[in-house]
Amino acid sequence: MKALSNRLNFWSQLVVGFLLIIVLIAIPTGYEDALIYKESVKCKAEVISTDESTVISTGLINSGEQKCELVLLNGKFEGETVTGVNMLSGSLENDKIYSVGDQALVVVSYDSNENITSVTMTDHYRVDKELILAALFVILLLIFAGKNGMLAVLSFVITVLMIWKILVPCYLRGMNPVWVGLGITVALSLVIIFLVYGVDKRTLTAFMGSMLGTLTTCIMGIIFTDLFKIHGAVMAYSETLLYSGYQDLSLTQIFVGGIFIGASGAMMDLSVDITSAVNEVIQKKPDISWKEAAKSGMNVGRAAMGTMTTTLLLAYSGGYIALLMTFMAQGTPIINILNYKYVASEILDTLVGSFGLVTVAPFTALMSGIMLTKRRDKQIPETETKDDEVNL
């Protein structure tokens, strides 16, 4: 019976996961026909020759424009040979130089008679390599994790789609970023934990522990973002977003939303780990009290918290290595570094997220102790207890 129940559970999880993906793919964002892409098409092109005669090189910096002869590889103008322009602004971060044989993503503009008017080279074409990397990841996950790997892939795809199809459009429409972020986090936590456990007491237990930690992180984020005087403009490309016609957006609230959304994955992970550990203890010792079960959960939480908080620190600080190197190279005093708003925003991200992680452990341990041992607090005949042990 248990094997049959597990199979039914797995297939129900699989069906729900695929249905959610189909629904999310079908949902329009409302920005598919953005004005910037009218009367133009994006396609892949191969560079067959280059002309750098108008490129001005000054040390590491290039300015001017590089002209490239291109063959369009797909789209409505497939097969045509055109001249593309690669504008160089003197920025190492944004500029790129093409060589013969490179593939580029280009924007082909055309008039009402469908005559090509200009071809702009936006960047090297990387989508095919990204798909190969994603396929290798999925294959490796399926080989080592089997059924659980399949559910993990579904969780990953659902998360990406919910962020792109729901979270981002809601933010652009000016909806409250904190409430939208909380809603998305609740939905994702339910779906992902369901895909781990199916319909089970453990699902509710892990979800409640994770949500209590997320709510704590949200409240702390709101309070300390205000105390730190952090403006949401510290986020990359935030000013570009404002200048694109979205000047009414609350960047600071979006920043706050990013704090608890970014930490929610680690909190889910910890809540699932603690719930699984407590459930295993209860399976081995069915007569355990809820207090003992909760204490076991806390011991597991203590062991995991050290590495989890370090994980957040490394995840958030990894993108700022160049900034830290600049501070050291210039001999910037540590007090100046700590007061710099970009550093302060990362400290806020890391410590508030870690605060949420620390609170998830006792919340989940307590919920696990109460929820998973609830039936055993009642007087049950011995035969029924044994039957329960087999079915759980």
Side-chain angles (χ1 to χ4, degrees), residues 206-228:
F207 171 74
M208 291 175 69
S210 175
M211 283 300 97
L212 287 169
T214 299
L215 189 60
T216 302
T217 306
C218 177
I219 294 170
M220 295 288 292
I222 292 171
I223 293 172
F224 281 92
T225 298
D226 182 57
L227 290 176
F228 277 32

Side-chain angles (χ1 to χ4, degrees), residues 94-273:
N94 298 312
D95 289 345
K96 51 271 172 188
I97 294 290
Y98 297 94
S99 303
V100 174
D102 286 350
Q103 290 185 343
L105 180 66
V106 301
V107 177
V108 180
S109 301
Y110 56 92
D111 58 23
S112 57
N113 296 320
E114 297 201 349
N115 295 316
I116 296 176
T117 56
S118 66
V119 178
T120 303
M121 305 175 70
T122 60
D123 214 324
H124 288 88
Y125 190 81
R126 303 182 178 94
V127 177
D128 50 354
K129 288 82 175 177
E130 292 168 352
L131 291 175
I132 291 171
L133 183 61
L136 290 173
F137 166 69
V138 170
I139 292 169
L140 188 66
L141 199 57
L142 293 177
I143 289 173
F144 284 98
K147 291 181 179 180
N148 290 335
M150 173 63 74
L151 297 176
V153 172
L154 292 180
S155 300
F156 187 88
V157 174
I158 289 169
T159 302
V160 171
L161 288 173
M162 286 195 73
I163 291 172
W164 182 250
K165 290 281 192 168
I166 299 176
L167 181 73
V168 174
C170 287
Y171 278 4
L172 287 174
R173 291 187 178 95
M175 298 182 183
N176 188 291
V178 173
W179 288 112
V180 170
L182 278 173
I184 291 293
T185 304
V186 168
L188 280 175
S189 298
L190 273 174
V191 170
I192 293 170
I193 295 174
F194 166 77
L195 289 176
V196 173
Y197 287 139
V199 179
D200 196 304
K201 275 188 176 182
R202 294 172 297 173
T203 307
L204 180 60
T205 302
F207 171 74
M208 291 175 69
S210 175
M211 283 300 97
L212 287 169
T214 299
L215 189 60
T216 302
T217 306
C218 177
I219 294 170
M220 295 288 292
I222 292 171
I223 293 172
F224 281 92
T225 298
D226 182 57
L227 290 176
F228 277 32
K229 304 297 181 185
I230 299 294
H231 191 277
V234 295
M235 297 181 294
Y237 296 101
S238 56
E239 289 189 60
T240 303
L241 178 62
L242 295 182
Y243 300 148
S244 298
Y246 294 92
Q247 62 271 13
D248 294 328
L249 294 180
S250 175
L251 294 179
T252 302
Q253 287 190 329
I254 293 173
F255 173 79
V256 172
I259 294 175
F260 61 81
I261 290 173
S264 63
M267 288 188 280
M268 263 189 285
D269 186 23
L270 184 57
S271 66
V272 167
D273 287 345

